[in-house]
Amino acid sequence: MFEMLVPKLGVNTVFDIDLEELYSKGYRGIITDLDNTLVGAKAPLATPELLKWFEKVKRLGFKLVIVSNNNMDRVSRFAAPLNIEFVHGARKPTNAPFRKAMKLMGLAPENTIVVGDQMLTDVFGGNRLGLFTVLVQPIALSDEGIGTRINRRLERIALTRLRKQGLWHEEEQHE
């Protein structure tokens, strides 16, 4: 069970993901979380740096869908001006939102990357479907709601167990 919480790659931010390498390995789509993955949970719009990243993603040939557990208003205000498709109220880590995103992109699991800041939602959900999972460090912990704060506590417990089992190595996860 705990192995399903281990991402294939750990980085500090989305900007640290080697998109060219992943594209060369056959990945063509990115399912990304919104809050604390792309921007802080209370940031309404994309930063200039993030806009450049979106341009790079598109230029390289990736398709992109935002999958968020947040509500329609929050996700659409962020994604609609950028013309990015999204799935709101996702209920991650259930399979349905990941499958919906892959359907929107017309891609199979072996061609899809999941990027998120939570092991219990993004990584677990992506790993269950055989997607390439990337864990980023959360952008603004202080902006998180109670549900996410509970998840973070559970993640700390899981990390302790993963380390004891030899399944989590810091130097491999966050280069």
Side-chain angles (χ1 to χ4, degrees):
M1 158 64 188
F2 283 102
E3 304 84 43
M4 296 298 279
L5 298 175
V6 179
K8 303 289 185 290
L9 176 66
V11 294
N12 286 324
T13 72
V14 295
F15 312 115
D16 299 317
I17 300 168
D18 188 340
L19 295 172
E20 291 88 351
E21 180 187 347
L22 291 173
Y23 193 86
S24 74
K25 291 181 176 180
Y27 295 103
R28 297 297 181 262
I30 300 171
I31 296 171
T32 182
D33 180 42
L34 172 57
D35 295 323
N36 273 335
T37 297
L38 297 176
V39 294
K42 292 185 179 174
L45 303 172
T47 63
E49 186 180 20
L50 186 59
L51 292 174
K52 286 180 187 166
W53 187 78
F54 286 144
E55 288 172 17
K56 180 179 181 181
V57 165
K58 190 175 184 178
R59 186 177 68 251
L60 289 171
F62 283 101
K63 295 176 181 178
L64 182 114
V65 176
I66 294 172
V67 175
S68 174
N69 286 348
N70 214 323
N71 62 51
M72 172 73 164
D73 186 53
R74 162 67 175 144
V75 184
S76 66
R77 281 183 194 221
F78 180 89
L82 303 170
N83 202 24
I84 296 174
E85 291 189 283
F86 62 90
V87 177
H88 69 281
R91 297 180 176 266
K92 292 180 287 181
T94 63
N95 291 340
F98 296 102
R99 286 192 175 127
K100 183 174 182 179
M102 286 187 288
K103 187 174 182 178
L104 286 170
M105 294 186 290
L107 295 172
E110 59 270 16
N111 305 114
T112 307
I113 300 162
V114 174
V115 180
D117 68 302
Q118 290 190 64
M119 293 165 57
L120 294 176
T121 56
D122 308 303
V123 174
F124 181 60
N127 281 344
R128 285 184 18 195
L129 289 172
L131 310 179
F132 185 89
T133 51
V134 180
L135 182 68
V136 300
Q137 294 300 302
I139 293 171
L141 287 172
S142 60
D143 291 348
E144 293 182 331
I146 187 70
T148 304
R149 288 175 193 228
I150 291 168
N151 277 354
R152 298 271 182 228
R153 285 190 178 147
L154 294 172
E155 285 179 359
R156 281 195 294 276
I157 294 166
L159 271 172
T160 300
R161 186 152 296 169
L162 287 166
R163 285 180 183 120
K164 283 182 182 174
Q165 294 176 355
L167 296 171
W168 187 275
H169 306 285
E170 297 301 325
E171 62 279 359
E172 292 174 14
Q173 297 303 319
H174 299 285
E175 302 165 348

